[in-house]
Amino acid sequence: MSQTPPLRPEYEIALQPLTDLPLERELSLAQRLWQQAWLRKSLILMTLALLWEVAARLQGNDLLLPSFLQVAHALVEDLASGELLEKVAISLSVLVKGYLIGILLAFVLTTLAVSSQLGRDLLSTLTAMFNPLPAIALLPVALLWFGLGEGSLIFVLVHSVLWSLALNTYAGFLGVPETQRMVGRNYGLRGLRFVALILVPAALPSILSGLKIGWAFAWRTLVAAELVFGASSGQGGLGWYIFQNRNELYTDKVFAGLAVVILIGLLVESLVFALLERYTVRRWGMQR
């Protein structure tokens, strides 16, 4: 004979509300301050400056390694005189032009690549050929074609931006889910509208990564190219400033020029790209 299993009586336990416990944990002042990213980064920079000052004093040769305070004095002095600001303005004006042209060409190439098989073959072939080629290696060719002027600098800047941005953008386009592509096609989007309204928003994390990589490549390529232009024509921006002071053995000013290069990179990363990420991919939940 089969036996029915015993049935347990149902019951309900009423839980008492936890009114005596705080709903959120109170953070101390030190913990709240430590949550500020700008404060943590400032502490890192101050630590590096302190280590630099100690190393310079132990080394004891201002010609080889000036102290942090000497470099800061040279930096403030040339900023106050306007010389360094003029060099920065020259460099940034050329950089922005080359950077924007590189972005435009990268967008054209990736749009062709997602639109046709010939475009994909074109992008694949060109990136395989030119992406491994250092931008500064094209400077002699640029001098022959465009002469001593802004055109040669813009040419090498476009090369340094174009291929890394195109590769990152195309990789982002390939990673767009098929569901989103089908939604765009159902709405009748084709060609440029499909790329702008479907692919670009979905691939924005990869595009922003390519923009940051392209910016870094362009910035260091520009400074390196200006060293050659400064030696050739006596003109230029930050690269010429560094080259001229190196020839005159003003090592503190050389380090001041290098510090400006670093500071501009930090400002662009913190103000431009960080804001872009905050108001796009992070707000949309595409990035942690």
Side-chain angles (χ1 to χ4, degrees):
M1 294 179 61
S2 61
Q3 297 180 352
T4 59
L7 299 177
R8 293 186 301 175
E10 295 184 1
Y11 61 91
E12 181 179 354
I13 299 177
L15 299 178
Q16 298 296 325
L18 301 177
T19 56
D20 56 336
L21 296 178
L23 297 179
E24 57 184 12
R25 183 167 60 95
E26 292 290 337
L27 298 178
S28 64
L29 178 61
Q31 290 174 321
R32 291 198 300 270
L33 291 176
W34 189 249
Q35 298 300 319
Q36 304 298 320
W38 65 269
L39 180 60
R40 298 194 302 269
K41 293 179 180 180
S42 298
L43 289 175
I44 293 174
L45 293 177
M46 287 190 292
T47 302
L48 293 175
L50 179 61
L51 293 175
W52 179 0
E53 185 71 23
V54 172
R57 292 180 182 272
L58 291 176
Q59 204 272 340
N61 190 337
D62 296 342
L63 186 62
L64 295 179
L65 181 63
S67 67
F68 175 78
L69 294 178
Q70 290 175 321
V71 173
H73 180 267
L75 177 62
V76 172
E77 183 180 15
D78 282 358
L79 285 175
S81 67
E83 178 185 3
L84 200 49
L85 291 176
E86 180 184 358
K87 302 300 183 184
V88 170
I90 294 173
S91 294
L92 289 181
S93 65
V94 177
L95 179 65
V96 169
K97 295 175 184 177
Y99 190 63
L100 293 179
I101 295 174
I103 292 174
L104 179 61
L105 292 178
F107 183 75
V108 171
L109 279 177
T110 50
T111 301
L112 292 175
V114 298
S115 302
S116 65
Q117 182 64 51
L118 180 60
R120 287 191 288 273
D121 293 339
L122 177 65
L123 178 62
S124 175
T125 304
L126 291 180
T127 51
M129 291 172 55
F130 295 114
N131 191 41
L133 185 64
I136 199 65
L138 293 176
L139 189 56
V141 177
L143 291 174
L144 291 174
W145 289 351
F146 303 102
L148 293 174
E150 191 176 278
S152 297
L153 288 175
I154 292 177
F155 177 79
V156 295
L157 287 177
V158 169
H159 174 81
S160 65
V161 174
L162 174 58
W163 310 115
S164 59
L165 179 56
L167 283 174
N168 277 270
T169 303
Y170 185 60
F173 287 171
L174 293 180
V176 177
E178 189 62 29
T179 305
Q180 291 178 264
R181 297 173 181 269
M182 293 173 62
V183 170
R185 296 190 188 101
N186 289 338
Y187 276 99
L189 299 178
R190 296 292 185 273
L192 188 60
R193 294 185 64 209
F194 179 78
V195 173
L197 298 179
I198 299 297
L199 296 184
V200 170
L204 198 54
S206 296
I207 295 174
L208 288 177
S209 177
L211 288 173
K212 289 194 285 188
I213 295 173
W215 158 261
F217 284 175
W219 189 221
R220 65 191 187 189
T221 299
L222 175 64
V223 175
E226 282 181 340
L227 290 173
V228 178
F229 272 80
S232 301
S233 62
Q235 300 178 17
L238 278 173
W240 166 240
Y241 175 86
I242 295 171
F243 180 84
Q244 184 182 33
N245 286 291
R246 193 268 297 178
N247 286 341
E248 298 176 2
L249 298 181
Y250 292 138
T251 313
D252 53 348
K253 294 189 176 184
V254 172
F255 276 85
L258 296 175
V260 171
V261 173
I262 294 172
L263 289 175
I264 291 176
L266 290 175
L267 287 175
V268 171
E269 178 71 26
S270 302
L271 297 180
V272 178
F273 292 117
L275 287 177
L276 279 176
E277 291 178 349
R278 181 183 305 171
Y279 290 107
T280 54
V281 292
R282 291 187 182 178
R283 173 177 288 184
W284 301 342
M286 302 171 68
Q287 187 182 75
R288 295 185 61 182

